[in-house]
Amino acid sequence: MNYKIALIPGDGIGPEIVREAKKVLDRVCEKYGHSFTYSEVLLGGASIDVHGVPLTQEAIDTAKACDAVLMGSIGGDAKTSPWYKLEPSKRPEAGLLAIRKALNLFANLRPAYLYNELRKACPLRDEIIGDGFDMIIVRELTGGLYFGERKTIEENGVKTAIDTLSYNENEIRRIAIKAFEIARKRRSKVTSVDKANVLDSSRLWRKVVEDVAKDYPDVTLEHMLVDNCAMQLVRDPKQFDVILTENMFGDILSDEASMVTGSIGMLSSASLNETKFGLYEPSHGSAPDIAGQDKANPIATILSAAMMLRYSLDLDKEADAVEDAVQKVLTLGYRTGDIMSEGCKLVGTKEMGDLVTDQI
Ligand code: IPM
Ligand code: MG
């Protein structure tokens, strides 16, 4: 089959990790008889440098014309990069938020899984790790604080900044349905995270989630306050299967969940709309401090490519092959710097990509 893929290398380590993921995909094509046609799309700083804005309509149209989008990362060093002298709505991050909105990517799936081989990279104590853990964060991605009205006003010489957090029941329902559907294919447990002891938006969230749960009697639902969840993630991460939460809580908790797996450099993500279309990107950022030095871990992007094969292209066998290849390379003891531990072999970005490719 032929598929059309939009590639967004982006900024910082983005281009080098996307290059390795593409190498892996090319190998998948060769082995399984597919062909991928790639269209490169500029986003973030890379787009600002060429077009003066972090996202163009042309970029959105190109992405929409494809079957899926594979992305690296966007953004630079806020202290030194000229991109951060621009007004906030013209900065790299605004481009990422805008493309999520334009493509209606409301469901962000962020798996956090502890590879047995990486136990030593996990910052938690052995008795907490136990047999390991395997959870997925289902984060609402196109609503809440990141998309509400915001402004800064000044009255009598005093500045006030206002950000608005709003959710309607339809936005909550569709993401809740996604979480329950995913839970059914896993261990059938949803932990819905909110701040219902304070926020109205959270109280509505809880009510709608409970309503959706009635259609899934086979799935256990529990509610957890976000501050407690932040604690439980390091106290006993095994308890979680599917964590369902709104945009900002999901942003924060997914970084925390990734850290307890040992490295944010391992974690993939998928952002989906109501159809099969999706944007796939590592959960980590653009790491400008190590960009271009062949130090970045390309595995999160490679695993994001695997998610793309599975969710957007229905190529399950191929997705399994990529995930197995990553597993084998770890078993063989190869590590990038971020997941390095004693007795393992340190490799760079390119070599890690080659090793995974060779296992397919
Ligand atoms: C993420 C990032 C983005 C977000 C930023 C770069 C806008 O932190 O994907 O988690 O907050 O969604
Ligand atoms: Mg984040």
Side-chain angles (χ1 to χ4, degrees), residues 74 93 96-97 100 110 139 141 146 251 255 281 283:
I74 56 102
E93 288 73 10
L96 180 57
L97 294 181
R100 287 173 178 167
R110 297 188 162 179
R139 168 189 176 195
L141 202 61
Y146 296 8
D251 187 17
D255 267 33
E281 56 171 319
S283 283

Side-chain angles (χ1 to χ4, degrees), residues 222-281:
E222 67 175 14
H223 300 284
M224 192 178 277
L225 296 173
V226 61
D227 43 357
N228 183 26
C229 183
M231 179 179 80
Q232 295 298 336
L233 273 171
V234 290
R235 200 191 71 89
D236 180 19
K238 286 190 296 296
Q239 67 184 289
F240 296 109
D241 179 16
V242 176
I243 294 180
L244 160 66
T245 191
E246 62 90 56
N247 202 342
M248 183 171 71
F249 298 160
D251 187 17
I252 298 168
L253 294 176
S254 61
D255 267 33
E256 189 187 356
S258 67
M259 194 57 225
V260 301
T261 67
S263 169
I264 194 162
M266 295 296 296
L267 296 187
S268 54
S269 87
S271 304
L272 308 173
N273 65 17
E274 308 270 12
T275 70
K276 288 227 159 282
F277 183 86
L279 181 149
Y280 299 83
E281 56 171 319

